[in-house]
Amino acid sequence: MALSVFRFSHPSRVLLGCFGLAAAVLVAGCGRPATATLPADYLLYIGTNQGGAQDSSIFLYRVNAGTGAFTKLSAQLGGASPTYLTLAPNHRFLYAVSETQTFRGAPGGGVSSFAIDPHSGGLKALGQQPSGGASPCYISLDHSGKNALVANYMGGNVSLLPVAADGQLSVPTTDQHTGSGPHKNQNASHAHCLLPDPANKFAFAVNLGTDQVVGYRLDAAASRLTRLPEPAFVAKPGAGPRHLTFHPNGKTAYLINELNSTLTTLAYDAATGHFRELQTVSALPASYTGDNSCADVHVAPNGLFIYASNRGHNSIAVFAIDSSNGTLVPIQDVDTQGKTPRNFALDPSGRLLLVANQNSNNLVSYRVDPFSGLLTPTGQQATVPSPMFVGVVEDFRK
């Protein structure tokens, strides 16, 4: 498969085929994005599927903002299978799930808290709590930083863990989901994502097993989630929704569907905490007929483009966003130079995209053209065992 191909096979893609990259910017809607001043370096925290509690399982790399080159800084004890991480906005703390089915001899997974050394960026373990369910696969913080939000995949439930001022976690409160779907991978509830909305008034749990986005009223001060009476959104049967992300405008969201390899544009009602479907597009080129499952999705910081990862096709799909209604036009597919891109990240400026290829044990970097949204491989790679998550921040070390 070619490293980069333009997608012209569908009638909706003819515009880009005829008018090239300028059309992508016109579709995105608002001319030339502002030019950001780039830092010299970024820090990259990498979660892995490394096994035991005594294995090095969280890795820290420095990434050159200009070249995309990786430099290993440390490999640290991060607990068993820290497959998803989240950093506090003040860079003082990091939180990691342990995607296991037993924790401290009891059924379920775990959540670990770490203090971040401001000089080295390294981690010091603070403590652990049970996640409230088996195989936790996602963790986020609400915007106040006072609560960790966890999705337990095999447990089929979600949890909220209060965060103390010293970064340590309290015991979780959980909410159990029930149901199933028509796909063979939907035999039960499988919560795959839990995150707050931009206003921190609602939180949304994406459930792959039930084809639903479950909404909650979020009371951050009281560390409480209250489920809404009806689902915030119901996807097509068998879609298998996996991750949700919001556009910077707060009015639009995007839902990536693992099982049918699609990406859904949603209008968001911030008053009620519900979504309305605007469009669903394939994350794959029409010519591809092999097996695939989608994984991750991110909107560019400038709000003009969106990126989605395909496992099987092993690609990043690039779409231009129509600023008038948030709908998408596909413009590029880029080979990830590895197998099973479970997770990827854009740097804060939106100029680099970093991919974790789980089954080929490598990280890859791409330059992002801020005007066209297109990706170009930097030629830089790093070897990391079973990388599952990449979190990138500006180098804050003193």
Side-chain angles (χ1 to χ4, degrees), residues 7 11-12 25 53 110 146 158 181 234 241 254 275 318 344 361 385:
R7 302 172 67 175
S12 66
V25 176
K146 295 180 179 178
V158 297
V234 177
Y254 298 93
F275 300 92
V318 187
F344 68 94
N361 304 313

Side-chain angles (χ1 to χ4, degrees), residues 113-206:
S113 56
F114 302 87
I116 299 176
D117 186 298
H119 302 288
S120 68
L123 305 179
K124 177 184 177 181
L126 295 176
Q128 291 183 310
Q129 291 287 353
S131 69
S135 302
C137 62
Y138 191 99
I139 183 168
S140 65
L141 294 174
D142 82 88
H143 298 307
S144 74
K146 295 180 179 178
N147 302 284
L149 307 174
V150 175
N152 296 297
Y153 183 80
M154 292 303 295
N157 59 12
V158 297
S159 301
L160 180 148
L161 294 85
V163 178
D166 64 0
Q168 297 204 54
L169 298 168
S170 296
V171 297
T173 57
T174 65
D175 184 56
Q176 184 67 48
H177 297 182
T178 59
S180 59
H183 191 278
K184 64 180 181 179
N185 292 348
Q186 295 178 309
N187 60 315
S189 167
H190 293 306
H192 219 308
C193 172
L194 180 62
L195 79 168
D197 78 339
N200 220 41
K201 293 183 178 180
F202 295 95
F204 297 102
V206 180

Side-chain angles (χ1 to χ4, degrees), residues 261-324:
S261 298
T262 61
L263 186 58
T264 299
T265 303
L266 302 169
Y268 178 53
D269 186 334
T272 67
H274 287 82
F275 300 92
R276 176 174 55 86
E277 181 175 352
L278 298 175
Q279 177 199 37
T280 294
V281 297
S282 176
L284 293 166
S287 59
Y288 182 75
T289 58
D291 292 335
N292 190 72
S293 61
C294 286
D296 203 9
V297 60
H298 295 283
V299 179
N302 63 20
L304 299 179
F305 308 98
I306 192 167
Y307 302 84
S309 64
N310 286 301
R311 299 172 297 177
H313 190 243
N314 294 325
S315 65
I316 301 296
V318 187
F319 300 82
I321 298 174
D322 187 328
S323 62
S324 68

Side-chain angles (χ1 to χ4, degrees), residues 332-343:
Q332 187 188 28
D333 300 288
V334 177
D335 191 312
T336 62
Q337 304 174 67
K339 297 178 181 179
T340 319
R342 172 154 171 158
N343 185 255

Side-chain angles (χ1 to χ4, degrees), residues 76 148 236 242 327:
Q76 303 187 216
K236 291 179 174 61
R242 179 183 173 99
T327 58

